[in-house]
Structures are given as C-alpha cells and as structure tokens.
C-alpha cells in the first residue's frame, strides 16, 4: 500500500464510484429510504442515495426529516446494520432427502453470491464488522457462511460529521473517525450547502485503485483540516457517554442489583435491541420437512437472548424472567464479551436505544449500576 | 466380658468420640447387644420409641407403607451408622418402620433410660443432643434432596 | 457443519425411558473421541440434540450414545430402526481430564443419565489400569428400575482396586441395595484427597452437593470436574445459546474444573 493520499472529489463523483464498483462486479449496497427510515439496500446509481435527508433520533424515537442541503450521507444511522449481508437473518443450510429413515444431504445448487461493496459504512459499523469477524470467523471454528460472504467485501466508509443524541461511539473508542486501514476507501462529506465535495482516502491497495478511476484533485492541508474538524465536531457533540472504566467487573459484581428489577418493569422483552445491534450474532436452527417426510430443510435464523426458548434445557428454560434476560444481554455485551473476545461487544452506535419501544438506554442502565444515574437525554 | 466389649465398642465409635469416660459409662449402662434376622422389623411406625441403635453389621431399611402399595424404602443405614432419633423428642414415637435387610447386629441403647439420665445430667444431655442434631440435620438435608426428585423426567 | 450419516446398528432399552444407540460410521470414518465429549445427533426433518458419547473410547469402530426419551426429538432418536441413519456432528467440547489424572485415584460420581458421559472414563481407566490408582464409582438413580448399565456396574464392582457404590432415592422392599440420595454414599468412601481426581455428572443440584461433600473431605477444587448442560445448538461457540457467564459450554466445556466455575454455580437465571 502506497502512502496514504487524501484527495478531494466533487460530490457527483460518488456516481462514478458506484460505477467503478459495479464494473468490478460487486453487488453494491448502501443507504436508501424505505418505510420511513434509512435502510441498507441495493444501490445502482447516485440517485438511490438518501439525498437531503437526515434522521432525528432519541431513546425510543426515530424520524426521517428533510435537510436544508443536498447531503448524500446526511443522516447518522438507520435501524439496520450491515450484518444482514455477512450474517443473514435467515439462511438455508441445506436440503436433505429422507428415504425410510436414511437421509442424504443434497448438494448445494445455489451459485455463490457476488462479493458485496458496502457504501456508507460508519466508523462504529466498521468496528462492529471487525467484532463479528472475530466472533464468527477468527475463532477455532469459522462460520463458513459468514466467511464466504465477508471474503472480498469492499468497504466504503463515510465518516460522521454529526452525531445523533443516541450516539456514544467515542466512549467505546470506535468512532466517529475511521481508523486508518479499516476501510478500502474512507470518505468525509463536506460543504454540503455550497460546493459539496468529499475528502477521500484509500485504506487499501484496491481502494486506491478504485479511487484512481475518479476525477480528483489532491486535497489541500486546509481541506484535510476542515474534514478532520468536522469529524471532531461529531465527537464533541456526543451527549451520551458510557463510562468503560471497570465496566466488566461492574456488571459481573452487580449480578444482584435492584436496578435489574427496575429495568425489567420497562423492558418488553421484544428483542428489538438484539435485532438492530450490529454485533449480536446469536442464531437458531430450524428443521422442517414436507408432509411425506421425504424432503427436509435446515435453516438458520437470527435468534435473541430475549426469548425464553433461547436458554432452554431439559426441564425448562434457564432465564425465564425478563430481568434475567435483560441482564444476560447487557452483561454479555459489556462484560462477558470482554472475557470471550477481548473487548466489549458494544460499539456505541446507539441503535438499541433508538429502537427500544420503551426507550431503555444501555448507557443509563450501565451508569445506574454505578449508583449514579446520569440521564444521557438531559440537555446540558 | 460382655460389658467390657460393649464399653469398648461405644467408646471407640466415632459418634461418641471425645465423650467424657463417665458419660460413656452411663451409656454402657443403658446398652445391650441385639441381632435381627433379614426381614425382621426392628420397629414400626407409631410404636413407642424407646431405643436407638449403633449398627455393627448388616443393613437396615427405613420404610413407610402407603395403604394401597407395597412399602417404600426411604433410607438405608449400614455398619457404623445410627438408627433412630425419635426416642429423643416427644411424643417418643417412631415415624417410620425399620427393617433388617440383611442379618443385622447392633447395640441397642435404651432411650427411656437415657432420657432420665439426661434430665439429671444436663452435660450428658447436651453432648448427646449435639451429636443427634448432626444426625437429624444430615437426614433433613438428604430428605430435601430426595424431595427434589432430581432425576425425574419433568 | 453438516451432519454426517451414521447407520444405526442397534438400539437397546436400558431403563423404561432410556436407550442406548450404537452407530456404525460411513465408509472411511472412525468414532474417535475423548471421554466427556458430546455429538450433535440429528434426525432428518425433526431436529438435533447434544448427546454425550457413552461408549468405549478404545473402540472407534462405532459410536455409542445413551439417550433419555423426554420429548419429540429424543423420542425420534430412540425409535430409530437398525439400518436407518442418524446425522452426527462432532465430537465436540472439552472432555474429562483423563491425561492430567494419570497416576491418581479416580472418583466417578454420577446421578441418573449422568452416568452415560462418565462411562467412557471408566472404560478408559479399566483399559489403562496401571496408569491410575483406585477407581471409585458413586452412582445415584431415582429408583431401582432406573439404574443405568446395571450389569456393568456389578461387573466393575468385582474388579481389583475398583469400588462401586450405587444408591436409589427411593427403593421398594425387594431392593436390597442402598437407599438415599447420592451424597449419603460418601460415608462409605475411603478418600485420599490429595491423590484424587473426581469427575461428576448429573443434575446441577446433585453436582453442587457432591462437590460440597468432596471439598469438605479435602479434595481440591482444581481436581474436581463437573459436566455442565446448557442449550447447545451449533456446538462450536457461534450460536450463543449455551452461554453461561463468560463460557460457551459447548466449546469451553462441557467439562469444567470446579475452581473455574464455582462463582457461577449458585447464580439463579445466569
């Protein structure tokens, strides 16, 4: 990889970026508007991007509203994370034939999926992808479905220049700045109201190759500084914080704490937080067969530790109370994940806060265990 | 000779370890050798409880009889163990049957005699209660586990 | 991780609800495993279950599983006919510390179906008799007809340096053996705590009380091993279901040293 060069591209060059990626036969996914939210979907041209829209987020609240400018990435985060592309919500494992109790697994006839290019990956999401890499493909056993989809994926990051009130990536050390070399290309969207341009930087050789196909000018020091300052502003604008000092022990030692009963009174055990979480990886297996029993299928789908069946063992489920299930989720995310994988399993994206119908706030719950609740949603 | 061997057996039994020799003497005064053939009931539920037994050889089952079924064995006691504590607490009645599974030899201690001795000798009474509370506690623990029916299919 | 078809050689009824399946491998495969490991057994179209291997580790020409029929999936497993197939994934997990326990006395303490994952330890010790000290088997069952591997227990009891104590929670009058929960067997034990490694498997409460008894008798928590059960699904630490505190029971266990898991054992709904 040559020296990192930061270049300036005009906003329209995002269209050329999409064409360059398509030319390389990537299936391109990025932000698009659907059902009143920004979701990740197929992107074929620059017009598919959510130009001039932003999101308003608070605990339990999300709305999409127009901006006064033409920003292409002027929102923060939608409900979905990129995990749906590498770790699909539902995937068939195999088909099998069953003849009088003798089974045979049928060869997989599906053609392998094209490598994906993800456009608009936030710093926290890059961190989430790295976490899922560690869980699902870097351990003693690799999930082959994940590894196959993840291999060759092209990542175009877009740094945040604004934070939602639910964001706390700075606390978790994952953003808003994209760490060098973690994406193929890193973009920073600038001057959206006037001469709209992007600062672009390649993080890999192939990123540099794609970038070289765009019209660009070397970025001046002033432009680079302006982009860095915009990202810094997103950082300093974060209102929610999660104190990570001694976080693991805090949760482990407070296994019995009145706060669990308190949060359980609000928690609907709906599992939304686990579905929107970009690092939650749990899955369940479904076996199905036709009426005659000769054709069977095995599927894998996302599961959640908020269901009672999740912890089922002979004789009943281990975690039946909502209290135990909430405690399991947050303790895994912030404490036992550290034992298992070396870091907390939370990137600070705040989706679980926004998409909780009861507005339960992971930062507030962690803080409550410290004995002092600092309401993150209070204006200071 | 018989008295001498009884005294040795009682004095060396772990249940009576560290008991004052004078107290051992009192116990020996209430002790006798007994023997039960296989199948023979040592006592039955509801009978007056006036003894306890140090099992020297064999196996004793503790049973209860439901009206419509064959008796259920809830516990067995083997060599070295103590059978019976109902002699110690009112109303001095056996709660279960005790039956010799194998040919069983034991030392029977006359509880009625001991109760009187304990009344007049509080120190002996305390020493015995200390020991029997361990027996009762252990059986209570075991009973609780038994009631959990841990191996049931659920 | 696709199930590999193994062929049912025979299904034997052990007790009214427990059956032993012997599976023959597909061409070229062998059934190697460490005592204490489990496999995922799949009945096509029905479901998959974690089942401990209960057979002889010195005989990899087949795989043996002992299954208690308690639901639809286990019922479909134990009603397989000879010649039909069962999908096998595995073996998985960390087994009993048979290598580290060389030269030591072995206590095997089992409750109910918990004898199944311990039987391979007994086979292993008996096949390598000079490598181990005394072997003591403590076994508790619900009642006399639920005693697993009854003939083998009797045969092991006759071997030198081997003691077998069985008990039932409740007996009938025709039962001449011991009655009382498994912990009541400890009074018969002549334990050399410093020289002993204990391996315990049964319902969690049973393991906890057995552990308490062994520790009270001077056994070290590092030499006491329990086999834990949680909801193993993928069996390779990827699906999350079997998490127990920081552990994935499927890959970090199922066998754990007591000293490692002691703080977790009494945590309700952990």
């Amino acid at each position: 990889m040559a020296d990192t060069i930061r270049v300036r591209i005009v906003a329209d060059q995002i269209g050329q970026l999409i064409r360059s990626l398509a030319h390389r036969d990537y299936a391109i996914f990025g932000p698009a508007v659907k059902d009143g939210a920004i979701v990740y979907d197929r992107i074929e041209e620059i017009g598919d991007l959510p130009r001039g829209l932003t999101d308003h987020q608070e605990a339990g609240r999300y709305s999409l509203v127009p901006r006064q400018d033409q920003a292409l990435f002027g929102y923060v985060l939608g409900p979905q994370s990129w995990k749906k592309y590498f770790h699909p919500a539902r995937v068939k494992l195999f088909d099998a034939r069953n003849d009088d109790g003798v089974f045979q697994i049928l060869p997989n006839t599906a053609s392998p999926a094209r490598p994906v290019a993800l456009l608009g990956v936030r710093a926290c999401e890059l961190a989430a992808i790295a976490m899922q890499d560690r869980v699902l493909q870097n351990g003693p056993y690799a999930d082959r479905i994940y590894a196959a989809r993840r291999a060759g994926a092209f990542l175009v990051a877009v740094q945040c220049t604004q934070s939602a009130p639910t964001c706390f990536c700075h606390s978790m050390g994952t953003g808003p700045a994209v760490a060098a070399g973690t994406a193929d290309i890193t973009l920073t969207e600038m001057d959206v109201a006037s001469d709209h341009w992007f600062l672009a930087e390649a993080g890999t050789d192939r990123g540099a190759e794609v970038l070289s196909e765009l019209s660009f000018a070397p970025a001046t020091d002033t432009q680079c500084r302006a982009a860095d300052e915009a990202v810094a502003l997103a950082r300093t604008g974060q209102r929610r914080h999660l104190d990570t000092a001694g976080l693991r022990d805090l949760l482990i030692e407070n296994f019995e704490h009145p706060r669990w009963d308190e949060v359980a009174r609000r928690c609907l055990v709906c599992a939304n937080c686990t579905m929107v979480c970009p690092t939650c990886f749990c899955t369940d297996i479904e076996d199905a067969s036709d009426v005659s029993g000769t054709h069977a299928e095995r599927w894998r789908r996302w599961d959640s530790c908020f269901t009672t069946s999740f912890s089922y063992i002979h004789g009943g489920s281990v975690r039946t109370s909502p209290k135990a299930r909430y405690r399991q989720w947050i303790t895994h995310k912030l404490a036992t994940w550290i034992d298992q994988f070396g870091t907390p399993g939370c990137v600070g994206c705040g989706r679980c806060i926004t998409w909780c119908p009861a507005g339960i706030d992971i930062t507030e719950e962690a803080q409550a265990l410290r004995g002092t609740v600092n309401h993150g949603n209070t204006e200071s | 000779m018989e008295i001498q061997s009884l005294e040795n057996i009682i004095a060396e039994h772990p249940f009576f370890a560290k008991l004052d020799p004078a107290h051992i003497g009192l116990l020996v005064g209430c002790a006798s050798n007994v023997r039960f053939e296989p199948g023979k009931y040592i006592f039955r539920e509801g009978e007056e409880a006036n003894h306890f037994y140090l099992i020297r050889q064999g196996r004793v089952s503790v049973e209860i009889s439901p009206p419509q079924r064959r008796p259920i064995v809830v516990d067995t006691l083997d060599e070295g163990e103590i059978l019976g504590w109902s002699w110690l607490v009112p109303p001095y009645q056996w709660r279960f049957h005790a039956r010799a599974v194998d040919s069983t030899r034991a030392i029977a201690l006359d509880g009625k005699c001991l109760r009187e001795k304990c009344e007049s000798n509080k120190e002996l009474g305390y020493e015995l209660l200390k020991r029997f509370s361990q027996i009762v506690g252990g059986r209570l623990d075991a009973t609780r586990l038994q009631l959990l029916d841990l191996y049931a299919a659920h | 991780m696709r199930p590999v078809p193994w062929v049912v050689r025979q299904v034997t009824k052990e007790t009214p609800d427990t059956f032993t399946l012997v599976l023959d491998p597909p061409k070229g495969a062998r059934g190697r495993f460490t005592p204490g490991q489990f496999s995922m057994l799949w009945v096509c179209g029905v479901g998959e279950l974690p089942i401990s291997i209960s057979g002889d580790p010195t005989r990899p020409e087949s795989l043996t599983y002992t299954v208690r029929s308690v639901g639809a999936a286990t019922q479909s497993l134990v009603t397989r006919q000879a010649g039909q197939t069962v999908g096998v994934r595995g073996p998985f997990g960390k087994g009993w510390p048979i290598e580290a326990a060389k030269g030591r006395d072995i206590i095997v303490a089992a409750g109910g179906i918990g004898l199944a994952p311990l039987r391979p330890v007994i086979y292993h010790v008996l096949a390598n008799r000079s490598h181990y000290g005394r072997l003591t088997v403590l076994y508790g069952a619900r009642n006399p007809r639920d005693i697993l591997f009854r003939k083998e227990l009797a045969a092991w009891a006759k071997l030198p340096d081997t003691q077998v104590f069985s008990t039932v929670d409740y007996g009938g009058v025709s039962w001449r053996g011991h009655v009382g929960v498994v912990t009541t067997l400890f009074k018969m034990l002549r334990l050399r705590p410093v020289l002993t490694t204990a391996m315990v498997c049964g319902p969690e409460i049973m393991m906890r009380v057995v552990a308490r008894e062994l520790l009270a008798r001077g056994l070290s928590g590092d030499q006491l091993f329990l086999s834990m059960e949680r909801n193993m699904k993928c069996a390779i630490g990827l699906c999350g279901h079997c998490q127990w505190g920081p552990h994935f029971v499927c890959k970090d266990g199922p066998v754990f040293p007591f000293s490692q898991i002691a703080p977790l054992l009494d945590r309700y709904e952990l």
Side-chain angles (χ1 to χ4, degrees), chain C residues 139-221:
Chain C
Y139 179 49
R142 192 178 190 215
N143 57 45
R145 57 176 202 155
D146 282 351
I147 292 178
L148 218 49
F149 312 140
R150 197 171 193 155
K151 282 183 187 154
E152 282 181 294
L153 285 165
W156 295 331
K158 295 195 181 92
L159 299 172
D161 288 331
T162 306
Q163 280 190 298
V164 176
F165 300 108
S166 299
T167 186
V168 293
D169 280 5
Y170 297 96
V173 281
S174 58
W175 168 250
R176 297 177 61 84
H178 195 274
V179 178
V181 290
V182 68
T183 46
T184 61
L185 294 174
F186 280 90
K187 63 203 172 200
M188 313 205 184
L189 217 55
R190 299 287 168 266
L191 185 68
R192 301 191 287 187
V194 181
L195 303 178
T196 300
T197 298
M199 308 182 195
V200 188
C201 186
E204 216 165 297
I205 294 177
M206 171 268 176
M207 292 197 285
R208 268 151 50 186
V209 295
V210 166
R212 191 170 64 205
E213 293 287 337
L214 287 166
L215 295 169
R217 283 165 170 76
L219 201 83
S220 152

Side-chain angles (χ1 to χ4, degrees), chain C residues 64-131:
Chain C
T64 300
Y65 300 90
T66 301
V67 184
R68 189 172 187 193
S69 175
V70 288
T74 43
Q75 179 65 17
S76 76
L77 254 184
V78 303
T79 51
R80 296 281 95 186
Q81 305 291 311
Q84 292 186 327
T85 51
V86 169
V88 177
R89 294 195 296 127
F92 296 116
K94 292 199 172 64
W96 304 105
I98 50 170
E99 287 305 312
K102 276 195 172 146
R104 303 176 61 81
D105 289 353
I106 305 293
I107 289 182
V108 162
I113 186 83
L115 186 56
L118 281 164
R119 188 168 69 162
V121 174
I122 299 169
Y123 287 141
H124 174 85
V125 170
L126 296 178
N128 300 275
R129 201 61 195 88
S130 61
H131 295 165

Side-chain angles (χ1 to χ4, degrees), chain A residues 101 283-284 287 303 320-321, chain C residues 42 85 231 233 241 243 269-270:
Chain A
T283 52
D284 198 9
D287 279 285
D303 200 1
T320 52
S321 71
Chain C
W42 180 65
T85 51
N231 190 10
K233 287 243 166 168
H241 281 81
Q243 283 184 85
E269 289 198 300
L270 175 62

